[in-house]
């Protein structure tokens, strides 16, 4: 019997495939006593498991080296060293010999003991090693139990099913084998969802209860258009979905026919549609659909899965490649926005009660000037090769902005003195993603070249709703009148000072909000690549004059639900062009 689960589609598409179930928790094993005569046999199993785990780690190390480069493979080298560590192996052997327990239980118990000892040491380095020792323990247990469900070991096309993944875990996946994601938790604007979108694989989040109901290797239909997952589907349903997939692909092909047309309303109002990217490899997708530029390059993803921050040379090479490939189209490079749900172990960010209200974005880089200057030098040097812009995240005060601008000037003058070319007129803008900056947007507008509204954070901070918390996801609404007023006022402040205003949060790709953004006279919407053509189609189907009326009406409504109902009704009345 097929079983159906519902969830929130965050990256559209329909696929049928086998599930690769990924557990982050410790692997469960049975514990039982062994006879004295069995001790050597158990230890022999350990040495075989070490061999297998070594082969496995070497293979993922090679994959990571091909995909990410020499720096990023250090984590696997560290795991290989730990695998043969005398302390770990001594502890396991002691458990087998003295406690007389089976090898699987001895490995699990030893890992637990070592983790407990590490967690009692008040030092970031040792805290970080806890995760490593668990990973190594899991590799050994996987080898002992024949369970090889690591994320890095995908060897056939699968749909990854997990509670959630961290942004850095996603960056290590082998895209060639990735057909889709199903998460039982997660937020629509979490960085995991954002990355899944940039990989352009169908993704459903918040599919409650699915983890318990699906076994590793079972077949599912992942319908990330409707937000439905069919588990163990019958043949008839698979056949029906074959047609649906074909239909969906035809629609995508039709969308491609408008890629060289402008995003302009029926009555001549045009808006730029740019892409949000997280890596240079996303560029091909942007060029394939003829995006108007890069409205947001989230540079933090260049910093994941490494032992230390990337060198200026490496950053420069990435920025230069993007500048050249996109030229003359603009590319907005956002300086490092780490903190919140994006951790970098080597930065040793102290544990915080409220990471999203803590040491994040520009707050962090203004204290770690080395990080900021390295990035700025790389961006400025690359600006010589194309049309780059600099954008600062999480700005909450004019002081922060001015301090950051001073650092840009310092870096520029050092480059000048060294005779290194850069674009002297490079534009500097800020993300508007905190209420204080949105409310005082008129003050900021006088001091920057552009605004980009980060609705993902603006909503969470304005409504005090954690963007990653599925428990309160129903309260996280871009349709809330307070959010819409903030956005409208920011756009107005930008228009008054004649600086362009873009929207680069996920709301920028929401077809329901599109008429409102057009009516507000937003200059640019920057979004995941997969949404650009669909948004273009919607723009071409709208009339600016109608949008003005919709906005007037919406501004009189009192609740997010009323806004949503009204915008849904408007959208239904639209006649699709394709
Ligand atoms: C935002 O907050 O809307 C944004 C675009 O930045 P991020 O999602 O990376 O926090
Ligand atoms: Mg943000």
């Amino acid at each position: 019997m097929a079983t159906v689960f519902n969830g929130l589609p965050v990256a559209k598409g329909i696929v049928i495939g086998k599930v690769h179930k990924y557990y982050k928790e410790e692997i469960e094993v049975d514990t039982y006593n062994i006879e004295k005569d069995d001790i050597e046999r158990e230890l022999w199993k350990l040495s075989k498991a070490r061999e297998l785990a070594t082969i496995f780690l070497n293979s993922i190390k090679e994959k990571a080296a091909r995909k990410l480069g020499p720096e990023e493979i250090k984590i696997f080298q560290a795991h290989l060293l730990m695998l043969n560590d005398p302390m770990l192996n001594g502890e396991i052997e002691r458990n087998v010999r003295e406690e007389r327990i089976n090898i699987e239980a001895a490995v699990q118990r030893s890992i637990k003991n070592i983790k407990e000892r590490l967690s009692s040491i008040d030092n970031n380095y040792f805290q970080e090693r806890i995760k490593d020792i668990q990973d190594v323990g899991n590799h050994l247990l996987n080898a002992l139990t024949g369970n090889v469900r690591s994320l890095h070991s995908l060897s056939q096309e699968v749909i990854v099913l997990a509670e959630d993944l961290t942004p850095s875990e996603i960056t290590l996946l082998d895209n060639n084998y990735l057909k889709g994601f199903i998460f039982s938790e997660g937020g629509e604007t979490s960085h995991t969802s954002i990355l899944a979108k940039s990989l352009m694989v169908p993704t459903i989040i918040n599919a409650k209860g699915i983890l318990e109901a699906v076994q590793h290797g079972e077949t599912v239909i992942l319908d990330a258009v409707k937000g439905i997952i069919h588990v163990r589907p019958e043949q008839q349903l698979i056949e029906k979905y074959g047609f649906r997939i074909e239909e969906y692909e035809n629609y995508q092909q039709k969308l491609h026919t408008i890629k060289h047309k402008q995003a302009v309303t029926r009555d001549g109002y045009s808006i730029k549609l740019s892409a949000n990217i997280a890596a240079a490899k996303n560029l091909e997708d942007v060029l394939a659909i003829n995006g108007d530029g890069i409205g947001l390059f989230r540079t933090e993803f260049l910093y994941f899965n490494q032992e230390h921050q990337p060198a200026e040379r490496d950053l420069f090479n990435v920025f230069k490649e993007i500048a050249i490939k996109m030229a003359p189209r603009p590319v907005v490079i956002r300086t490092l926005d780490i903190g919140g749900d994006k951790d970098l172990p080597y930065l040793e960010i102290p544990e915080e009660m409220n990471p999203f209200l803590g040491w994040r974005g520009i707050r962090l880089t203004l204290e770690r000037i080395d990080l900021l200057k390295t990035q700025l030098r790389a961006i400025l040097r690359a600006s010589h090769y194309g049309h780059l812009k600099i954008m600062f995240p999480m700005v909450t005060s004019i002081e922060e902005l001015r301090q950051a601008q001073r650092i840009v000037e310092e870096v520029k003058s050092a480059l000048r003195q060294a005779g290194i070319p850069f674009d002297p007129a490079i534009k500097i803008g800020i993300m508007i993603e905190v209420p204080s900056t949105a409310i005082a947007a008129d003050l900021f507008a006088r001091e920057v070249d552009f605004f980009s509204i980060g609705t993902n954070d603006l909503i969470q901070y304005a409504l005090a709703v954690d963007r990653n918390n599925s428990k309160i996801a129903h309260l996280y609404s871009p349709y809330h009148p307070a959010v819409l007023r903030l956005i409208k006022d920011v756009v107005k402040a930008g228009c008054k000072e004649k600086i362009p205003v873009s929207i680069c949060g996920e709301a920028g790709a929401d077809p329901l909000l599109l008429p409102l953004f057009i009516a507000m006279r937003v200059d640019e919407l920057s979004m995941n690549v997969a949404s650009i053509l669909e948004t273009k189609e919607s723009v071409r189907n709208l009339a600016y004059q109608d949008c003005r009326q919709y906005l007037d009406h919406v501004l009189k409504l009192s609740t997010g639900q009323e806004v949503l109902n009204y915008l849904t009704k408007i959208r239904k009345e639209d006649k699709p062009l394709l």
Side-chain angles (χ1 to χ4, degrees):
M1 258 300 278
T3 320
V4 182
F5 287 85
N6 292 300
L8 190 65
V10 291
K12 279 194 196 164
I14 310 170
V15 280
I16 303 173
K18 288 205 187 320
V19 153
H20 180 98
K21 199 166 167 182
Y22 173 65
Y23 293 104
K24 280 191 217 175
E25 307 95 68
E26 297 162 28
I27 298 159
E28 287 297 321
V29 294
D30 290 335
T31 305
Y32 53 87
N33 287 108
I34 54 164
E35 300 295 327
K36 190 164 180 245
D37 288 352
D38 293 334
I39 291 176
E40 294 313 319
R41 196 198 59 205
E42 294 298 291
L43 292 176
W44 175 82
K45 280 203 245 166
L46 174 65
S47 70
K48 283 286 149 205
R50 247 193 333 259
E51 274 172 28
L52 267 178
T54 304
I55 294 170
F56 173 71
L57 270 168
N58 273 321
S59 87
I60 59 174
K61 193 178 89 180
E62 270 166 38
K63 263 190 207 163
R66 276 199 303 276
K67 207 170 154 209
L68 299 164
E71 277 300 310
E72 293 84 344
I73 61 172
K74 286 188 179 155
I75 183 146
F76 302 113
Q77 266 155 353
H79 286 182
L80 279 163
L81 282 175
M82 263 189 203
L83 197 60
N84 294 296
D85 179 59
M87 183 183 77
L88 172 65
N89 287 288
E91 173 107 17
I92 299 172
E93 190 171 334
R94 193 194 60 72
N95 268 304
V96 174
R97 287 194 190 282
E98 293 172 18
E99 307 294 325
R100 292 273 178 87
I101 51 173
N102 57 317
I103 186 67
E104 295 83 3
V107 170
Q108 196 164 54
R109 195 175 286 183
S110 307
I111 296 293
K112 188 166 168 272
N113 291 344
I114 296 172
K115 275 169 57 184
E116 275 168 12
R117 289 204 294 274
L118 288 173
S119 59
S120 66
I121 308 172
D122 186 18
N123 174 303
N124 267 336
Y125 175 80
F126 289 108
Q127 296 303 318
E128 277 311 316
R129 300 289 75 77
I130 292 177
K131 191 177 168 307
D132 291 331
I133 195 78
Q134 182 65 58
D135 279 352
V136 171
N138 285 349
H139 288 313
L140 275 177
L141 288 173
N142 281 334
L144 281 165
T145 58
N147 174 359
V148 280
R149 266 184 243 160
S150 161
L151 270 185
H152 317 305
S153 64
L154 304 184
S155 54
Q156 55 170 345
E157 288 197 330
V158 285
I159 296 169
V160 170
L161 168 65
E163 182 179 300
D164 199 0
L165 293 177
T166 64
S168 63
E169 280 169 330
I170 288 208
T171 55
L172 267 185
L173 277 168
D174 190 339
N175 307 356
N176 294 327
Y177 296 123
L178 191 60
K179 285 183 98 169
F181 283 120
I182 304 172
F183 298 125
S184 61
E185 297 294 325
E188 197 177 354
T189 62
S190 74
H191 286 98
T192 303
S193 299
I194 288 169
L195 267 180
K197 280 184 207 176
S198 80
L199 290 174
M200 301 220 274
V201 289
T203 301
I204 288 185
I205 62 166
N206 254 328
K208 299 279 185 224
I210 193 159
L211 266 185
E212 296 75 32
V214 182
Q215 300 305 317
H216 180 73
E218 283 191 315
T219 299
V220 299
I221 298 172
L222 166 59
D223 180 348
V225 175
K226 289 194 171 155
I228 299 173
I229 303 142
H230 297 275
V231 175
R232 298 178 287 279
E234 282 158 8
Q235 192 53 31
Q236 223 181 350
L237 191 61
I238 294 182
E239 278 162 24
K240 194 173 140 210
Y241 259 92
F243 293 117
R244 283 213 57 204
I245 292 173
E246 212 177 298
E247 237 172 60
Y248 186 73
E249 282 170 358
N250 286 343
Y251 169 66
Q252 290 298 322
Q253 270 172 17
K254 275 193 193 152
L255 276 180
H256 269 259
T257 60
I258 58 167
K259 71 179 175 193
H260 290 297
K261 298 198 169 139
Q262 255 200 308
V264 58
T265 62
R266 298 200 312 268
D267 48 358
Y269 177 85
S270 65
I271 186 162
K272 288 196 195 69
L273 300 181
S274 304
N276 293 347
I277 61 165
K281 64 176 190 279
N282 302 138
L283 277 190
E284 303 310 322
D285 300 327
V286 184
L287 293 169
I289 52 105
N290 193 31
D292 288 328
I294 304 297
L296 170 63
F297 179 15
R298 290 183 165 95
T299 55
E300 47 278 7
F301 295 100
L302 304 173
Y303 289 65
F304 285 144
N305 301 313
Q306 308 216 30
E307 291 280 288
H308 46 72
Q309 65 155 310
E312 180 187 322
R313 185 193 54 241
D314 297 335
L315 294 173
F316 167 70
N317 285 338
V318 175
F319 300 154
K320 181 180 163 191
E321 181 190 344
I322 296 178
I324 291 173
K325 284 196 176 151
M326 288 307 294
R329 291 174 262 206
V331 175
V332 177
I333 303 190
R334 182 174 76 180
T335 61
L336 192 62
D337 183 17
I338 219 68
D341 61 346
K342 291 174 286 191
D343 185 25
L344 281 184
Y346 54 85
L347 289 190
E348 304 195 347
I349 301 173
E351 188 120 332
E352 295 176 307
M353 287 281 279
N354 294 303
F356 272 115
L357 299 183
W359 205 39
R360 187 190 164 191
I362 198 164
R363 300 171 181 182
L364 187 149
T365 48
L366 283 180
E367 272 187 51
R368 291 291 310 266
I369 304 235
D370 55 319
L371 280 172
L372 185 57
K373 281 198 167 167
T374 306
Q375 264 207 321
L376 290 173
R377 270 182 71 91
I379 300 172
L380 282 163
R381 285 174 54 202
S383 69
H384 180 64
Y385 300 90
H387 185 181
L388 298 189
K389 302 182 187 186
I390 298 170
M391 178 158 75
F392 294 115
M394 276 292 290
V395 174
T396 51
S397 71
I398 293 278
E399 287 95 329
E400 279 172 341
L401 169 64
R402 289 184 185 157
Q403 202 185 334
Q405 284 166 328
R406 268 199 303 276
I407 295 168
V408 175
E409 287 312 312
E410 273 171 40
V411 176
K412 277 185 178 176
S413 83
L415 289 175
R416 235 177 250 119
Q417 270 172 21
I420 299 173
F422 64 91
D423 172 9
I426 191 165
K427 302 272 188 248
I428 300 179
I430 54 170
M431 297 275 304
I432 304 272
E433 51 185 347
V434 236
S436 62
T437 316
I439 293 165
D442 55 326
L443 304 178
F444 285 91
R446 296 181 205 145
E447 308 207 14
V448 295
D449 296 316
F450 64 93
F451 283 160
S452 190
I453 305 177
T455 49
N456 304 339
D457 279 314
L458 189 61
I459 296 167
Q460 81 162 340
Y461 294 130
L463 304 181
V465 180
D466 180 345
R467 65 194 262 192
N468 290 350
N469 186 341
S470 58
K471 177 87 180 75
I472 46 171
H474 59 289
L475 299 175
Y476 183 98
S477 168
Y479 313 110
H480 193 297
V483 173
L484 296 176
R485 284 182 191 193
L486 282 175
I487 297 174
K488 178 179 76 62
D489 290 349
V490 171
V491 182
K492 203 166 144 202
C495 280
K496 191 149 171 263
E497 286 299 326
K498 299 198 172 46
I499 62 165
V501 181
S502 160
I503 294 182
C504 65
E506 297 308 293
D510 183 340
L512 297 182
L513 291 168
L514 180 66
L516 306 188
F517 295 152
I518 288 176
M520 290 176 192
R521 303 189 75 88
V522 169
D523 297 278
E524 176 192 48
L525 297 172
S526 191
M527 62 192 72
N528 67 84
V529 184
S531 296
I532 290 182
L533 290 179
E534 230 169 304
T535 307
K536 188 182 277 188
E537 196 227 340
S538 300
V539 172
R540 294 175 60 80
N541 198 23
L542 287 164
Y544 174 75
Q545 289 309 331
D546 295 342
C547 295
R548 289 289 301 267
Q549 283 178 23
Y550 304 153
L551 179 64
D552 285 347
H553 183 83
V554 162
L555 291 175
K556 290 187 202 119
L557 300 175
S558 319
T559 73
Q561 192 58 50
E562 284 167 17
V563 173
L564 176 60
N565 293 346
Y566 176 70
L567 294 177
T568 309
K569 186 172 136 265
I570 299 297
R571 172 96 180 144
K572 279 205 184 118
E573 284 164 11
D574 269 1
K575 287 170 268 328
L577 287 181
L578 297 174

